Amino acid sequence: MLLRLLLCFFLAAALVPARAAALRIDTALTADGDSARFPAGAPLRSVSLPDDWSRSRPGSSGPVWYRVSFEAFGTPQNGDLAALYVEHVCTNLEVFLNGKLVHSGGRMEEPLTHNCNHPQLVPLPAGLINPGQNLIDIKVVGYRLAQVGSRTRAGGISELYTGAQSELQWRYARQNTINIALPEAVGATLLLMGSFMFVLGFINRRESYLAYFGALSIGWAVIDARLWLSVLPISNAAAEFLVGTMLSFITLAAIQFLLRYAKLRIRFVDRGLFVQCAAMALGLFIAGPNRLHQSVGFWQALFACELFAAALLHLQVLRREESPSFWPMAAGLATLALAGAIELAGQQRGTEPLLAHLAHLVPPVMFVLLGLRLVQQHGRALQASELDRAQLELRVREATAEIERNFQQLAELRVEQVTERERKRIAADLHDDLGAKLLTIVHTSESDRISTLAREALEEMRLSVRGLTGRAVRLCDALGDWRAEVVSRLAQAGIEAEWTAPEDLPQMLPARAFVQTTRILREATSNIIKHSKASRCSIVCRVVDGDFQAVVQDNGEGIPLELEGRLDHGHGMASMKHRAKQLQGQCLVESSPGYGTVIRLTVPLDRAPELHPR
């Protein structure tokens, strides 16, 4: 909407040279009086238009009558009417054509209708226009300079234009766009954006500058409403007091925005600005409505100095930090300063020229642009924050998983340590108590049977103790122990034994694997001695692809037919296979009646688990 209005304005401005010129009236007769018609008996004097009451009649608050004359325009073309155009009148007016009321701007009594920024296009009825000279009387009511905060709201009237209504319409449309439509659209945009940013900054306390900028935008939109609102429900004194005090809050918001945006927080400034707001309100109240202009002028000068100092400090911080926002902020602040100087010059002239009107639009437009930039920066910061938060959550999850893994490992290590101590204690008890007693039985028993059983139990106990201690065994040493035991037992049973194994193997055999393999070989040897009726047995040991392999083959009778298909039962076969499976290996039995038995044992050396024998 704002861009559409700006486009319409520039198109209208481009068409200005093509329009026919209207009659410009720059002198008028004036008379003072609050009568219903032009005071005929009052003293008259000639004034130049525009007429600023603060210069032509200081201290006067009207009403003032203006009388001008014009020649009839001739026969209107295409039904076009004659019209009177008043670009600026403050505060309100009534227009009389040849003594007849043809237009009223609104209330002529307190509270007056506020038409200072509303251009007036008054159609002049053809039935009231005389063929020769015609008189236009204008009654103007307003306020003296001391009763308003800005000179632009003091009583006065601009030059007048008469001519065909179609020729004056473009002037009226252009000025109405600049004075009313654009400020209204920009103010509505500023109010909505300021409210959003105030809430955004209030929620995100770390970005409090957004809240101050929102307050600045809302305050400026409220003050700018004075430009296009013509009817107020309160008196002029109350309205001027509120507008004046609002300046102090706008200054507070602007200074705090500049400081907070530069990441500065000065405690005495925070307190001083609030004290200043209260001091200004109290000062205006004490000064009263008849000294309002001087009081507001003093505070405006003070606020300008404060804003200038805050702007310099803001730019100094941005420059020191080499912020990319330095040049945009410098250009924006310089533009605002130039617009303020132009508007001040327009106020000093008594009426606002076109340049001053456009300059008054610059601050809210700059606020809108700056607000959009702040929202964009906030959006990018929020996006970056969300990305950082996601990365942080990922890192937290990874750290949590790592902590849980470490805790589990520590717990397992603690359990392992406790288990290791308990195993060593049990092993020590077995060795010291049970071993000593078994050894005593071996040496003192008179029965060979009991002595033999005690010796076997002692060997089994020693094997269990070795497994409990958990110490790994060199494979070559284990092969030596196995060879000595197996060959010895087979020889005692009258069975010829052939042992084949590498002599030097560097691999280490975990205690668990050593114990279980020893028991598998013992069980296999026992089966050969007790059941095979073999006369010869060969044992071949080797290491293939990281696996220890042992092949035990006899030339006995083999597995009986009644056990065929059930090799997992009887003769300790199930126990052998179960032990091999615990080592993540396998034990295969191949046999047929009359052809002996082959036992193939495979134990992975690199994957053998460090478990403990049962």
Side-chain angles (χ1 to χ4, degrees), residues 246-256 273 276 303 306-307:
M246 184 66 72
L247 290 175
S248 62
F249 289 100
I250 290 179
T251 303
L252 181 151
I255 292 176
Q256 291 288 50
L273 289 174
Q276 180 174 262
F303 295 159
E306 293 175 354
L307 289 170

Side-chain angles (χ1 to χ4, degrees), residues 22-336:
L23 176 62
R24 181 174 180 270
I25 302 175
D26 55 6
T27 59
L29 296 176
T30 65
D32 297 336
D34 192 11
S35 58
R37 295 289 185 273
F38 189 88
L44 303 178
R45 63 170 178 158
S46 177
V47 296
S48 299
L49 300 179
D51 181 26
D52 184 359
W53 291 3
S54 63
R55 292 186 174 89
S56 63
R57 44 178 56 80
S60 174
S61 57
V64 176
W65 285 86
Y66 295 87
R67 169 167 284 181
V68 296
S69 61
F70 69 94
E71 292 284 344
F73 302 120
T75 303
Q77 299 294 326
N78 299 324
D80 198 2
L81 295 177
L84 172 69
Y85 173 64
V86 184
E87 183 173 296
H88 170 76
V89 62
C90 202
T91 294
N92 196 19
L93 83 169
E94 288 180 345
V95 179
F96 297 82
L97 175 60
N98 294 323
K100 301 294 183 179
L101 178 65
V102 294
H103 175 76
S104 176
R107 287 181 57 89
M108 301 292 287
E109 298 176 353
E110 190 69 29
L112 302 175
T113 299
H114 188 272
N115 282 321
C116 292
N117 290 284
H118 290 256
Q120 306 288 321
L121 182 61
V122 182
L124 302 178
L128 297 179
I129 298 178
N130 298 325
Q133 286 288 331
N134 293 270
L135 295 178
I136 296 178
D137 298 329
I138 304 174
K139 182 181 181 180
V140 178
V141 293
Y143 300 100
R144 58 181 178 271
L145 182 62
Q147 295 177 313
V148 294
S150 172
R151 182 180 294 273
T152 58
R153 294 193 293 272
I157 190 171
S158 66
E159 66 271 17
L160 307 175
Y161 291 88
T162 58
Q165 185 175 0
S166 59
E167 297 174 357
L168 297 173
Q169 183 66 41
W170 71 269
R171 293 180 182 268
Y172 172 78
R174 182 195 65 177
Q175 203 65 30
N176 189 71
T177 300
I178 297 174
N179 291 10
I180 306 301
L182 284 179
E184 185 176 2
V186 175
T189 304
L190 207 57
L191 183 62
L192 292 175
M193 184 187 69
S195 301
F196 169 74
M197 298 191 69
F198 181 82
V199 174
L200 192 63
F202 185 80
I203 295 175
N204 300 280
R205 296 300 179 89
R206 290 179 298 179
E207 298 179 346
S208 58
Y209 65 89
L210 294 177
Y212 284 110
F213 184 82
L216 170 62
S217 301
I218 294 173
W220 195 276
V222 171
I223 286 186
D224 266 5
R226 186 80 165 137
L227 298 177
W228 50 271
L229 281 178
S230 59
V231 179
L232 297 176
I234 56 178
S235 65
N236 177 74
E240 291 293 337
F241 177 81
L242 292 177
V243 171
T245 53
M246 184 66 72
L247 290 175
S248 62
F249 289 100
I250 290 179
T251 303
L252 181 151
I255 292 176
Q256 291 288 50
F257 163 70
L258 291 173
L259 296 181
R260 298 296 174 85
Y261 190 50
K263 297 181 177 60
L264 295 176
R265 184 168 185 177
I266 306 175
R267 296 290 182 180
F268 78 88
V269 173
D270 295 346
R271 300 187 185 96
L273 289 174
F274 284 101
V275 172
Q276 180 174 262
C277 292
M280 181 180 184
L282 181 61
L284 294 181
F285 180 79
I286 294 175
N290 292 323
R291 290 195 297 253
L292 186 68
H293 185 76
Q294 293 178 346
S295 299
V296 172
F298 165 77
W299 287 106
Q300 284 179 338
L302 179 61
F303 295 159
C305 295
E306 293 175 354
L307 289 170
F308 182 74
L312 289 181
L313 182 59
H314 175 84
L315 294 177
Q316 182 181 4
V317 172
L318 294 184
R319 186 178 183 85
R320 183 174 64 247
E321 296 179 351
E322 298 182 354
S323 172
S325 300
F326 172 77
W327 289 112
M329 288 298 297
L333 292 174
T335 303
L336 290 174

Side-chain angles (χ1 to χ4, degrees), residues 472-479 482 502 504-518 541-550 580 582-586 601-611:
V473 181
R474 291 183 61 189
L475 182 57
C476 60
D477 295 338
L479 289 172
W482 294 335
D504 188 13
L505 294 175
Q507 291 88 348
M508 299 296 293
L509 193 64
R512 168 70 166 169
F514 173 75
V515 172
Q516 299 290 38
T517 304
T518 300
C541 299
R542 58 180 178 269
V543 176
V544 179
D545 296 332
D547 294 339
F548 170 73
Q549 296 180 355
Q582 286 183 334
L583 298 176
Q584 300 183 14
Q586 63 180 355
L601 173 65
T602 302
V603 177
L605 295 177
D606 53 343
R607 300 192 302 274
E610 266 299 331
L611 301 177

Side-chain angles (χ1 to χ4, degrees), residues 449-573:
R449 176 64 177 168
I450 294 176
S451 179
T452 300
L453 291 176
R455 185 177 289 106
E456 291 178 356
L458 182 61
E459 290 297 327
E460 186 65 26
M461 184 271 295
R462 287 176 177 173
L463 183 61
S464 298
V465 168
R466 174 174 286 186
L468 287 172
T469 56
R471 290 192 295 270
V473 181
R474 291 183 61 189
L475 182 57
C476 60
D477 295 338
L479 289 172
D481 292 344
W482 294 335
R483 176 179 182 179
E485 180 179 346
V486 171
V487 172
S488 174
R489 291 184 62 191
L490 291 175
Q492 290 178 2
I495 301 174
E496 181 184 354
E498 181 181 351
W499 182 275
T500 304
E503 294 183 357
D504 188 13
L505 294 175
Q507 291 88 348
M508 299 296 293
L509 193 64
R512 168 70 166 169
F514 173 75
V515 172
Q516 299 290 38
T517 304
T518 300
R519 286 175 174 164
I520 292 173
L521 292 176
R522 280 181 180 177
E523 184 65 30
T525 304
S526 297
N527 287 337
I528 293 172
I529 294 172
K530 294 178 181 180
H531 306 291
S532 70
K533 298 180 181 181
S535 61
R536 185 175 178 276
C537 177
S538 66
I539 302 96
V540 179
C541 299
R542 58 180 178 269
V543 176
V544 179
D545 296 332
D547 294 339
F548 170 73
Q549 296 180 355
V551 180
V552 181
Q553 183 175 5
D554 64 69
N555 61 352
E557 296 180 352
I559 305 297
L561 290 174
E562 60 269 19
L563 295 178
E564 187 176 357
R566 296 188 292 119
L567 295 181
D568 288 346
H569 303 281
H571 298 84
M573 297 298 180

